[in-house]
């Protein structure tokens, strides 16, 4: 009998795109991030992708002191692969964004593969009332914002991360990002099996049409052959449809309230675990096996939870 293929579920717990006024279920405080992460792991997420927020205002922060308030507890309570952001927020400097991943030396860290327009301002058409002044500014200012990720930025973070044994979730928002990743790999900036996270539906990046997903997959196949693992995330209402397409095409999936606040049309997801459960049900309905954290460590060639600095 053929071995059943295993699909990794990544859960992005809180992110830096959505703001607290958009959903009462978005984790903000360290305690909420801990609770949400444990529940997501129990529901089947192998990888927990973590950002931090100011506990009072919910504003994204890369202050390691805030990360210290939830990383050890999540590590102790789960076997999940902890994946720390180096994206932070598009409004932050590269130096701010890289601090947690460099200081805590996680098994996995995210890395954006290119500079881009990152338009969040269309959400002002849906959300009009905000508790904190920064929330409206966060969305409106994205109209005149370039999310800076130069080759020098990427090389700096990847080189420092590699020295600590951290591997990278390479977030590709467009086809050109795959070619940039191929160049980095050809030059030895990143080595081993590549973990490509294709991102669909962010204004400024590739769209969410099924043909866009196919184009990303075919291009990655051509550039990396068998030397990569492919995962997808769809922004907003695109989340589960694109996840299902990835699963059917041999890929992995990412869900979580960072990427979408919804559990269905007009229905807010009450937790990250709700979305993980939906993803798990979808994968199992396709006769796929949900990867455990240790499965993910093997597939992605990770160093192990005993070698992190938290």
């Amino acid at each position: 009998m053929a071995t059943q293929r295993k699909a990794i579920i990544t859960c992005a717990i809180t992110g830096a795109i959505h703001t607290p006024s958009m959903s009462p279920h978005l984790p903000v405080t360290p305690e909420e991030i801990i609770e949400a992460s444990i529940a997501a792991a129990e529901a089947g997420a192998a990888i927990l992708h973590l950002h931090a927020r100011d506990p009072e205002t919910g504003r994204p922060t890369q202050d390691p002191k805030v990360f210290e308030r939830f990383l050890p507890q999540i590590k102790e309570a789960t076997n999940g692969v902890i994946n720390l952001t180096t994206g932070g927020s598009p409004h932050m400097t590269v130096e701010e964004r890289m601090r947690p991943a460099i200081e805590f030396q996680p098994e996995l860290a995210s890395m954006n593969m290119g500079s881009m327009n990152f338009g969040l301002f269309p959400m002002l058409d849906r959300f009009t009332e905000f508790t904190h002044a920064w929330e409206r500014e966060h969305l409106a200012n994205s109209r005149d914002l370039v999310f800076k990720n130069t080759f020098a930025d990427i090389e700096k973070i990847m080189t420092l991360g590699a020295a600590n044994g951290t591997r990278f979730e390479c977030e590709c928002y467009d086809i050109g990002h795959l070619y940039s990743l191929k160049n980095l790999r050809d030059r030895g900036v990143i080595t081993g099996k590549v973990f490509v996270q294709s991102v669909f539906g962010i204004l400024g990046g590739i769209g969410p049409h099924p043909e866009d997903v196919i184009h990303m997959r075919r291009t990655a196949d051509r550039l990396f052959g068998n030397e990569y693992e492919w995962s997808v995330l769809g922004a907003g209402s695109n989340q589960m449809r694109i996840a299902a397409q990835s699963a059917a095409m041999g890929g992995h999936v990412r869900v979580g309230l960072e990427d979408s606040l919804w559990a269905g049309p007009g229905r807010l997801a009450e937790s990250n675990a709700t979305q993980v459960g939906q993803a798990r049900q979808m994968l199992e309905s396709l006769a796929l096996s949900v990867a455990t954290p240790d499965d993910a460590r093997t597939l992605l060639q990770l160093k192990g939870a005993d070698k992190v600095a938290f």
Side-chain angles (χ1 to χ4, degrees):
M1 180 179 293
T3 302
Q4 190 176 34
R5 183 169 67 82
K6 296 180 178 180
I8 298 168
I9 300 175
T10 295
C11 187
I13 300 297
T14 186
I17 292 177
H18 298 116
T19 72
S21 298
M22 295 179 181
S23 171
H25 310 299
L26 184 70
V28 169
T29 67
E31 293 74 21
E32 290 168 347
I33 291 170
I34 292 167
E35 180 181 3
S37 298
I38 294 171
E42 291 175 345
I47 299 174
L48 304 170
H49 176 57
L50 301 178
H51 288 239
R53 292 177 179 267
D54 182 297
E56 300 299 324
T57 67
R59 189 169 194 149
T61 178
Q62 290 292 88
D63 184 350
K65 287 186 171 58
V66 182
F67 282 83
E68 284 176 347
R69 295 175 59 181
F70 57 77
L71 288 179
Q73 294 89 333
I74 295 171
K75 179 188 174 187
E76 182 178 358
T78 79
N79 186 37
V81 174
I82 293 179
N83 171 1
L84 296 188
T85 180
T86 70
S89 163
H91 300 278
M92 298 175 182
T93 67
V94 172
E95 287 70 26
E96 287 180 273
R97 288 161 40 196
M98 66 190 290
R99 287 182 64 197
I102 301 305
E103 181 165 327
F104 296 112
Q105 304 176 24
E107 296 182 77
L108 193 63
S110 67
M111 185 69 239
N112 295 67
M113 286 294 108
S115 300
M116 60 181 291
N117 293 330
F118 204 95
L120 304 178
F121 58 88
M123 285 194 282
L124 289 169
D125 295 332
R126 177 186 290 269
F127 301 99
T128 58
E129 297 182 7
F130 300 97
T131 302
H132 306 284
W134 75 265
E135 298 179 80
R136 184 180 299 278
E137 295 170 0
H138 173 76
L139 302 177
N141 290 348
S142 70
R143 190 183 298 272
D144 189 28
L145 174 70
V146 173
F147 190 9
K148 179 178 176 289
N149 297 282
T150 67
F151 283 108
D153 296 334
I154 297 168
E155 290 171 23
K156 180 177 182 179
I157 295 173
M158 282 189 165
T159 301
L160 291 171
N164 296 325
T166 297
R167 296 191 62 78
F168 289 89
E169 171 202 19
C170 300
E171 296 187 341
C172 296
Y173 291 76
D174 221 331
I175 295 298
H177 292 179
L178 290 172
Y179 283 90
S180 295
L181 177 57
K182 176 66 161 54
N183 176 269
L184 291 161
R185 192 168 186 274
D186 287 347
R187 292 190 287 116
V189 177
I190 184 171
T191 60
K193 184 175 282 189
V194 177
F195 184 28
V196 174
Q197 186 72 257
S198 293
V199 183
F200 301 91
I202 295 293
L203 183 61
I206 197 168
H209 193 278
E211 291 184 5
D212 294 322
V213 181
I214 293 169
H215 186 33
M216 270 276 201
R217 179 60 155 166
R218 286 176 174 168
T219 303
D221 279 346
R222 177 163 44 81
L223 294 177
F224 303 110
N226 295 323
E227 296 302 312
Y228 85 109
E229 294 291 335
W230 185 59
S231 181
V232 304
L233 73 90
S237 61
N238 303 299
Q239 185 181 71
M240 289 300 169
R241 175 177 56 77
I242 290 178
Q245 187 175 357
S246 172
M249 296 172 68
H252 309 289
V253 303
R254 174 171 138 173
V255 295
L257 297 185
E258 171 173 353
D259 305 330
S260 174
L261 297 174
W262 308 98
R267 181 164 58 94
L268 288 171
E270 295 186 0
S271 68
N272 282 278
T274 298
Q275 294 182 350
V276 174
Q278 290 177 319
R280 179 169 199 146
Q281 183 178 29
M282 177 269 293
L283 292 171
E284 291 175 343
S285 73
L286 294 173
L288 299 174
S289 175
V290 175
T292 67
D294 288 337
D295 291 331
R297 290 182 173 99
T298 298
L299 283 168
L300 302 178
Q301 302 174 344
L302 304 181
K303 64 182 180 180
D306 59 329
K307 295 180 176 64
V308 301
F310 56 89

